[in-house]
Amino acid sequence: MRFCAFLTAAAAALATVCVLAQRAPPFTEDCRKSTYPPSGPTYRGPVPWYTINLDLPPYKRWHEVITDLTPEVRHIVKDLLDMVNAFFPSGKVTKMVDERLPAMLGVLPYPFEEEIKGIADVSGIPLGEIISFNIFYELFTFCTSIIAENKKGHLFHVRNMDFGIFLGWNMNNNSWTVTENLKPLTVNLDFQRNNQTIFKATSFAGYVGTLTGMKPGVFSLTLNERFSSNGGYMGILEWILGQRDEMWIGFLTRRVLENATSYEDAKNMLIKNKILAPAYFIVGGNKSGEGCVITRGRKDTPDVYELRPKEGRWFLVQTNYDRWKNPFFLDNRRKPTFMCLNQTTQENISLASSYDILSTKPILNKVMAWAAVGLVAPFWGGGVPRVLPAVVWDKPDRNHL
Ligand SMILES: *[C@@H]1O[C@H](CO)[C@@H](O)[C@H](O)[C@H]1NC(C)=O
Ligand SMILES: *[C@@H]1O[C@H](CO)[C@@H](O)[C@H](O)[C@H]1NC(C)=O
Ligand SMILES: *[C@@H]1O[C@H](CO)[C@@H](O)[C@H](O)[C@H]1NC(C)=O
Ligand SMILES: *[C@@H]1O[C@H](CO)[C@@H](O)[C@H](O)[C@H]1NC(C)=O
Ligand SMILES: *[C@@H]1O[C@H](CO)[C@@H](O)[C@H](O)[C@H]1NC(C)=O
Ligand SMILES: *[C@@H]1O[C@H](CO)[C@@H](O)[C@H](O)[C@H]1NC(C)=O
């Protein structure tokens, strides 16, 4: 039970840090232009692709990725433990994570437990630390996701991945340590069965869930964090205490990408499954009007908001706040996103212009690890690249924040 007390205390401490961390002046710049394809001093080059072969036993699937990126995974796991140890300096928490977390968590659903064990063994990082690394993604995903439909009925689904806001401010160079250290972990993944792509994802090495992915030609899916008093850490506590009927959100989205066969099927799975943490699921399909934001509580679905291009609702924007509520006043990414989409117009929405919007501050911010832009599924079928390119940026220009 000491572990539970730790989780509760850590969550409370982080909530405080959250409010402090956001005390930056609200800042909005003019909508950017011509930022795509990315280049310049802050561009770190393309993200590497890896194939995850679903025909292999789960234990073996991540070996190649982890073999290449063990030092980077080690680095980030150390950051997270350093942060926890800053709150609980006795070192007891590390000991607990290493020795007791694996047993306390009991059985993770197939195939995740085996995959995580494989990652721990290949990297030589203790299993408990890999598990806690996977838990952190359930709690700290700050992002902006957009779905927009152009006049031809093509859907563009794009997202910024902001991650690590609470996780360590580096006084020396004014950067968020965890965000910085996550950038080199960014990978593009091609999940295959029978040598055929089942879905593609952009993710962080060492994490077995999926926060951003697309089934080429069928649907695309991104996940954003939703805050709530009955929040994610409560779900994780209950899970540890043995109530196992709720799914980890990043595991549900991975399952949907792997096994849902259509936009409608994906939507149903995302609406109906009980989940450990509240979330927003942003889903795009392969025809005009197929795009929605699903607002989820752990057990309920208060809202499903759909595109209605014929009535002029040609885009949906989701940050980390319910659409019927005002965003936290220091973190209003919604309004500038609306403004830039309005300025771009439906005629001119494209991969490049969506990327411009993601590159505009404060939609672009210091905790952004990367951005992904994707053409969901060309309306007309073949011939057009169905890709989810992702880019990693270095720290955005400090002078602008
Ligand atoms: C900030 O400093 C840390 C440690 O000295 C380093 O790892 C990180 O890359 C630096 N970040 C930037 C943006 O320069
Ligand atoms: C996948 O392709 C490789 C070589 O390209 C081949 O050796 C293997 O048998 C194929 N696997 C399946 C399941 O088709
Ligand atoms: C998808 O379905 C298959 C077959 O039922 C199952 O083996 C696999 O574990 C499922 N994938 C996930 C991520 O749950
Ligand atoms: C759209 O997805 C459905 C499956 O939901 C599939 O049958 C159809 O072929 C797809 N259409 C295109 C144009 O890819
Ligand atoms: C964008 O346009 C919509 C529809 O015309 C309007 O409701 C909204 O207020 C505009 N938002 C901004 C920030 O310009
Ligand atoms: C749309 O793009 C075209 C070609 O780049 C440009 O001429 C036009 O002004 C743009 N429209 C708007 C509303 O920005």
Side-chain angles (χ1 to χ4, degrees), residues 61 110-112 193 247 251 254-256 258-259:
R61 291 176 184 167
Y110 182 88
F112 302 107
R193 266 189 214 121
M247 272 201 87
F251 293 177
R254 157 112 182 249
R255 178 164 289 169
V256 167
E258 224 174 279
N259 286 342

Side-chain angles (χ1 to χ4, degrees), residues 262-378:
S262 67
Y263 170 74
E264 287 302 329
D265 192 17
K267 240 173 96 177
N268 278 331
M269 286 172 79
L270 294 165
I271 288 171
K272 292 195 177 131
N273 278 283
K274 287 191 201 167
I275 48 180
L276 277 182
Y280 304 101
F281 298 118
I282 301 90
V283 197
N286 69 7
K287 358 182 182 352
S288 170
E290 282 189 348
C292 66
V293 175
I294 300 170
T295 302
R296 281 296 313 263
R298 288 170 54 199
K299 301 190 167 106
D300 60 341
T301 303
D303 188 51
V304 179
Y305 195 56
E306 319 235 11
L307 283 176
R308 296 232 192 289
K310 291 201 181 83
E311 294 159 30
R313 195 192 295 155
W314 60 276
F315 64 77
L316 300 175
V317 172
Q318 183 60 49
T319 61
N320 301 98
Y321 306 96
D322 294 344
R323 75 180 169 86
W324 58 92
K325 290 185 189 153
N326 285 327
F328 183 48
F329 75 105
L330 289 175
D331 182 29
N332 191 348
R333 285 163 283 141
R334 187 198 294 162
K335 192 168 163 213
T337 311
F338 267 62
M339 190 185 79
C340 293
L341 280 158
N342 281 355
Q343 275 182 25
T344 303
T345 73
Q346 193 181 7
E347 282 76 13
N348 283 1
I349 195 73
S350 64
L351 280 187
S353 60
S354 322
Y355 194 85
D356 286 339
I357 295 168
L358 295 182
S359 308
T360 299
K361 295 177 182 111
I363 307 149
L364 167 73
N365 60 51
K366 282 215 160 180
V367 287
M368 193 180 90
W370 45 266
V373 292
L375 181 58
V376 176

Side-chain angles (χ1 to χ4, degrees), residues 143-208:
C143 350
T144 303
S145 292
I146 305 171
I147 289 200
E149 177 172 328
N150 71 8
K151 288 276 186 191
K152 292 178 184 153
H154 304 160
L155 289 166
F156 299 91
H157 188 164
V158 305
R159 77 115 91 245
N160 272 3
M161 175 59 82
D162 303 338
F163 188 88
I165 178 116
F166 318 135
L167 308 179
W169 177 252
N170 186 325
M171 300 293 275
N172 298 326
N173 56 12
N174 288 349
S175 62
W176 291 99
T177 310
V178 171
T179 307
E180 287 303 309
N181 291 338
L182 272 171
K183 288 177 187 178
L185 279 184
T186 309
V187 285
N188 286 320
L189 303 170
D190 187 347
F191 288 80
Q192 298 190 349
R193 266 189 214 121
N194 294 322
N195 287 343
Q196 302 217 311
T197 295
I198 300 296
F199 71 100
K200 293 181 178 183
T202 302
S203 192
F204 296 111
Y207 178 58
V208 299

Side-chain angles (χ1 to χ4, degrees), residues 19 51 115 218 244 252 356 379 396:
V19 173
T51 298
E115 290 187 9
V218 185
R244 303 278 154 81
L252 174 61
D356 286 339
F379 195 23

